[in-house]
Amino acid sequence: MPEVELLSPAGDFECLKAAVQNGADSVYFGTDKFNARFYATNVGLNSLKDAVSYCKLRNVHTHLTLNTLVKDTEFEDAVSLAKEAYEAGIDAIIVQDLGLAKYLIDRLPDLPIHASTQMTAHNLEGVLELEKLGFKRVVLARELSISEIEYICNNSKVEIETFIHGALCICYSGQCLFSSVVGGRSR
């Protein structure tokens, strides 16, 4: 049986502390940039290193969300943020933008890159392609049934992550760009 990890969202530093103190094995959070929860309270750039240190001291893994599409004019800033997180000791980065992900996979080979649910990986073929590209984990689309998730797990070698709760972004998970157009809730 695969290992089960309790991975909790952690908006700001106080939420991160609450998740850690209540038993999370790992936390994921965004900063003020390149984060699908742009309008939510996030861990500030100046708190990134402190957040990672706080978690490491308590044996909790940290995952940074860089889960938006990145424009050409933003690419260097996104890479810079990823490098800053890497230097702070982040355990993984969750990425939506395929170009950014491949860039990080090729240049920071010891940093696990996870395919965000924003990539809408909803079948085995998609997961296998992400695995070939070098992703260490794929966060599946939320609409999958337990039998579909099981099929993907049994036929791939990459780590699989699934959401066990949460609202759908309009009607399909991972489609927050549409959500931003309709309701202005994402970046």
Side-chain angles (χ1 to χ4, degrees):
M1 173 171 259
E3 183 180 323
V4 175
E5 169 190 44
L6 178 57
L7 173 61
S8 176
D12 61 15
F13 207 134
E14 291 306 310
C15 292
L16 180 140
K17 288 179 184 177
V20 169
Q21 292 170 5
N22 285 284
D25 300 306
S26 299
V27 293
Y28 68 91
F29 56 88
T31 65
D32 304 329
K33 295 181 177 182
F34 310 111
N35 171 18
R37 292 176 36 94
F38 184 72
Y39 294 113
T41 304
N42 296 295
V43 172
L45 287 171
N46 56 350
S47 300
L48 178 62
K49 193 175 222 170
D50 291 338
V52 172
S53 295
Y54 179 86
C55 290
K56 286 212 176 289
L57 185 63
R58 291 156 180 83
N59 202 29
V60 173
H61 294 248
T62 53
H63 304 197
L64 178 68
T65 57
L66 291 180
N67 57 348
T68 61
L69 297 174
V70 179
K71 298 175 185 175
D72 287 337
T73 57
E74 301 172 322
F75 195 82
E76 289 304 316
D77 287 340
V79 168
S80 180
L81 176 55
K83 287 180 180 176
E84 184 177 338
Y86 174 72
E87 290 168 1
I90 202 84
D91 292 299
I93 298 181
I94 305 167
V95 182
Q96 175 187 10
D97 188 284
L98 193 54
L100 175 63
K102 188 61 177 150
Y103 183 93
L104 296 175
I105 288 166
D106 290 345
R107 285 163 182 83
L108 299 172
D110 58 330
L111 176 63
I113 304 299
H114 297 178
S116 171
T117 191
Q118 311 292 62
M119 285 190 166
T120 318
H122 63 276
N123 58 39
L124 177 61
E125 290 74 18
V127 170
L128 292 176
E129 286 302 314
L130 293 170
E131 185 178 324
K132 277 189 227 174
L133 288 171
F135 285 90
K136 299 297 183 209
R137 178 181 292 185
V138 175
V139 185
L140 296 176
R142 298 177 196 182
E143 301 79 28
L144 298 177
S145 68
I146 291 175
S147 62
E148 290 169 319
I149 294 168
E150 183 177 42
Y151 177 76
I152 291 170
C153 288
N154 289 336
N155 291 285
S156 64
K157 293 182 177 121
V158 68
E159 292 177 12
I160 299 295
E161 180 181 321
T162 61
F163 279 84
I164 59 169
H165 68 84
L168 296 176
C169 292
I170 299 299
C171 53
Y172 291 100
S173 68
Q175 300 304 308
C176 292
L177 184 60
F178 180 68
S179 181
S180 72
V181 170
V182 172
R185 295 290 302 156
S186 296
R187 183 162 181 234

